[in-house]
Amino acid sequence: MALNLREPAEADLATTLEGDFALPVTLIAPDGVKYTGLKGQVFYDTNKVNPDTGEMMTVNTPVVTLRRSSLTRIPLPGEKWVVKIPTTPSTTATLEDFIVDQSKAPEGSASIGYIQLFLRRAKQA
């Protein structure tokens, strides 16, 4: 019997993405349906290349990585999703509204089972 390493890799996401380093995440779909009780990796800073100098710089643009099998609906490129994440890396911090950056498509792998959402602050009305 052939060993399929993708199955244990996806199962390990329960530990690597939803385990001790995870933070609470809420997704709100474009139709207003809320997906609560999610856990994922939240990184508050992202490295980008400065287009003027070519140097790497760190910017405060959060990225959320979620386990695809924990989602009942997968955000698609171009959809307007709201993502609520903690304001600090604490499970008890206030959740703040961000939106999925539509200039950058969600990344990830259906082969292993994760999705990365690139966020920007929601504008205040």
Side-chain angles (χ1 to χ4, degrees), residues 11-74:
D12 286 345
L13 294 176
T15 300
T16 59
L17 292 181
E18 299 173 333
D20 291 340
F21 288 102
L23 290 171
V25 176
T26 296
L27 297 179
I28 304 172
D31 59 6
V33 175
K34 274 189 182 181
Y35 300 92
T36 60
L38 300 171
K39 294 194 322 187
Q41 292 293 317
V42 178
F43 292 100
Y44 295 93
D45 301 312
T46 305
N47 290 328
K48 291 187 177 185
V49 175
N50 182 327
D52 297 327
T53 65
E55 294 180 18
M56 291 298 285
M57 60 183 187
T58 301
V59 293
N60 185 254
T61 53
V63 177
V64 172
T65 306
L66 300 166
R67 186 178 182 192
R68 293 174 71 96
S69 62
S70 294
L71 303 175
T72 54
R73 180 173 172 193
I74 305 295

Side-chain angles (χ1 to χ4, degrees), residues 71-119:
L71 303 175
T72 54
R73 180 173 172 193
I74 305 295
L76 298 174
E79 289 185 322
K80 296 180 181 182
W81 286 75
V82 173
V83 181
K84 292 178 163 290
I85 59 171
T87 54
T88 63
S90 168
T91 57
T92 60
T94 302
L95 298 184
E96 188 173 320
D97 289 353
F98 287 79
I99 56 174
V100 174
D101 187 344
Q102 293 182 332
S103 70
K104 186 158 185 163
E107 293 182 2
S109 172
S111 299
I112 295 179
Y114 68 91
I115 184 168
Q116 287 185 315
L117 303 174
F118 300 89
L119 308 180

